[in-house]
DNA sequence: GACCAGGGATCGT
DNA sequence: ACGATCCATGGT
């Protein structure tokens, strides 16, 4: 990877496995705007980023080296060797199945995906909101909460963007106010999550220092957080790359490519552990995006 | 353990 | 237009 500073911009070249469209649109994050083809504005970690990709060249507009190094390098998972992960997954699938599997083609098609290292609180609330909702609606709610309760993050093309609210701010919102943001029955879940963090039941620090399974157990103490939401939070904000969140899409694609019949989630989870192991999270993201694009039924 | 509410935008017909 | 669906979960 080559890093250049040009005017006020940071330019990346020769980045392996990086497609800004696939990274943002694959369903792992919700706080961004598409401006043009492969040109986006996103708000993350209390920073605003205007980013554009043309071929192999990626421009981080109005970004200094210090911000790039301290915020975006880790956010975009730039120190991870994705080629090694892809190769391992394809080889291990072959070993377990004793023949070539379907994952290789999925990975080739979605090879520009990276798993973002997102903020814990924002990820937790976003995935509580996500249940039974489609991505455009999740984005709308995250946006509404940020505008109403977050700090200004900056302006691009005459549009003001807002940071995701702090836990203190969000915890003081009333149930009825929260429902005005279209959160519906999830409103008490969001408030319960704030409560459990503020009273110390849930500690990000200890979640970072334990196994995926332990972290999932602890997160599930929050009302409205089940196995799927907890797995997403662990994968996207706690570096648990062995997490394998199973939703309807993953269930459908796994049933199609490995089982060829209806299969309980518990069995799918066990199988994923065996075939994808410590890289389950990456496999899940390739498969999820692929299945959604396919519009699998 | 199977079923159903809950809330509303979006998608498919 | 309008009904079905939706990156689940908790309660019954």
């Amino acid at each position: 990877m080559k890093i250049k500073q040009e005017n006020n911009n940071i330019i990346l070249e020769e980045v392996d496995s990086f497609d800004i469209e696939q990274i943002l649109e694959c369903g792992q994050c919700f706080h961004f705007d598409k401006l043009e083809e492969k040109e986006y504005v996103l708000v993350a970690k209390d920073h605003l980023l205007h980013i554009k990709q043309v071929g192999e060249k990626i421009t981080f507009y109005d970004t200094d080296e210090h911000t790039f190094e301290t915020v975006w390098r880790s956010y975009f998972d730039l120190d991870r060797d994705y080629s090694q992960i892809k190769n391992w997954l394809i080889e291990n699938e072959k070993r377990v199945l004793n023949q070539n599997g379907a994952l290789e083609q999925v990975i080739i098609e979605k090879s520009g995906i990276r798993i973002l290292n997102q903020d814990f609180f924002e990820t937790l609330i976003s995935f509580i909101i996500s249940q039974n909702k489609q991505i455009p609606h999740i984005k709308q709610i995250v946006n509404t909460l940020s505008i109403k309760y977050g700090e200004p993050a900056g302006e691009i093309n005459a549009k003001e963007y807002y940071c995701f609210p702090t836990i203190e701010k969000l915890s003081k919102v009333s149930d009825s106010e929260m429902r005005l943001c279209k959160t519906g029955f999830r409103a008490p879940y969001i408030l319960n999550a704030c409560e459990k963090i503020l009273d110390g039941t849930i500690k990000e620090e200890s979640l970072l220092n334990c196994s995926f399974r332990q972290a999932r157990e602890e997160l599930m103490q929050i009302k409205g957080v089940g196995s799927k939401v907890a797995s997403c939070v662990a994968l996207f904000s706690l570096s648990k790359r062995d997490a394998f969140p199973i939703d309807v899409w993953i269930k459908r694609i796994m049933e199609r490519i490995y089982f060829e019949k209806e299969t309980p989630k518990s069995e799918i989870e066990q199988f994923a552990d065996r075939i994808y192991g410590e890289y389950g999270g990456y496999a899940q993201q390739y498969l999820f995006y692929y299945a959604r694009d396919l519009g699998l039924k």
Side-chain angles (χ1 to χ4, degrees):
Chain A
M1 182 174 87
K2 277 198 206 157
I3 308 173
K4 283 193 300 187
Q5 176 104 43
E6 240 173 55
N7 305 319
N8 285 325
N9 309 328
I10 292 282
I11 316 261
L12 298 189
E13 278 171 315
E14 295 170 33
V15 191
D16 172 56
S17 306
F18 194 112
D19 182 321
I20 191 64
E21 182 180 0
Q22 291 185 352
I23 291 169
L24 295 178
E25 307 276 5
C26 74
Q28 60 179 325
C29 64
F30 308 104
H31 204 171
F32 65 88
D33 255 6
K34 180 175 180 170
L35 298 182
E36 296 287 339
E37 204 60 28
K38 302 215 182 201
E39 181 172 359
Y40 291 87
V41 176
L42 70 122
V43 189
K45 309 227 170 194
D46 291 331
H47 287 266
L48 181 68
L49 176 65
H50 178 188
I51 186 169
K52 179 178 183 173
Q53 179 167 15
V54 179
E56 303 286 286
K57 184 178 162 186
I58 302 147
T59 305
F60 292 64
Y61 290 105
D62 224 353
T63 303
D64 57 45
E65 197 175 336
H66 179 258
T67 307
F68 175 78
E69 289 298 333
T70 55
V71 179
W72 304 122
R73 179 184 281 276
S74 72
Y75 182 76
F76 284 104
D77 211 26
L78 290 171
D79 292 315
R80 191 94 51 183
D81 184 350
Y82 276 75
S83 294
Q84 183 264 326
I85 292 166
K86 292 170 184 174
N87 288 335
W88 188 93
L89 283 170
I90 291 164
E91 284 309 309
N92 200 60
E93 184 193 43
K94 203 177 287 182
R95 185 182 64 78
V96 171
L97 297 179
N98 226 349
Q99 59 180 1
N100 288 322
L103 190 67
E104 177 160 16
Q105 204 48 49
V106 174
I107 288 178
I108 288 170
E109 197 157 320
K110 302 298 179 195
S111 67
I113 290 179
R114 284 176 167 264
I115 294 191
L116 299 170
N117 295 295
Q118 300 184 67
D119 174 74
F120 168 65
F121 181 61
E122 173 168 352
T123 306
L124 174 59
I125 302 303
S126 298
F127 279 91
I128 288 174
I129 292 168
S130 80
Q131 49 186 78
N132 253 44
K133 287 202 174 293
Q134 293 169 208
I135 290 169
H137 199 192
I138 303 165
K139 288 176 67 174
Q140 190 184 304
I141 296 169
V142 169
N143 201 242
T144 303
L145 289 177
S146 302
I147 290 171
K148 283 181 83 166
Y149 308 114
E151 296 297 317
E155 195 183 290
I156 288 170
N157 291 349
K159 181 178 173 183
E160 184 68 36
Y161 289 83
Y162 292 84
C163 301
F164 193 78
T166 62
I167 173 167
E168 287 77 15
K169 195 75 191 274
L170 209 57
S171 67
K172 289 178 184 137
V173 177
S174 69
D175 183 276
S176 57
E177 251 187 289
M178 194 71 87
R179 282 173 197 268
L180 289 178
C181 304
K182 311 296 182 192
T183 54
F185 62 87
R186 303 158 196 80
Y189 299 165
I190 296 169
L191 294 170
N192 186 249
C194 292
E195 231 172 84
K196 288 238 161 54
I197 295 173
L198 286 175
D199 74 11
T201 310
I202 298 292
K203 285 196 280 293
E204 181 182 359
E205 189 62 25
S206 60
L207 294 175
L208 281 168
N209 291 309
C210 68
S211 69
F212 159 56
R213 274 161 215 292
Q214 180 69 36
R216 182 172 61 177
E217 274 314 296
E218 295 201 17
L219 286 167
M220 284 170 68
Q221 296 176 90
I222 300 166
K223 208 166 199 185
V225 175
S227 173
K228 193 270 171 183
V229 170
S231 298
C232 286
V233 174
L235 175 58
F236 300 133
S237 73
L238 296 168
S239 306
K240 311 302 186 208
R241 299 300 212 250
D242 52 337
F244 192 82
I246 301 175
D247 54 55
V248 287
W249 297 99
I250 288 297
K251 190 165 181 294
R252 285 176 195 155
I253 188 81
M254 294 288 279
E255 283 167 349
R256 174 173 294 194
I257 66 179
Y258 297 121
F259 298 97
E260 292 168 341
K261 62 174 161 57
E262 281 253 357
T263 309
K265 283 186 179 179
S266 55
E267 198 176 322
I268 295 175
E269 187 177 329
Q270 230 180 354
F271 182 71
D273 240 7
R274 205 153 63 81
I275 196 162
Y276 305 141
E278 62 176 309
Y279 295 134
Y282 300 99
Q284 193 269 0
Q285 210 52 32
Y286 292 122
L287 289 164
F288 175 76
Y289 194 29
Y290 181 81
R292 287 199 74 255
D293 259 10
L294 219 59
L296 224 55
K297 284 270 158 54

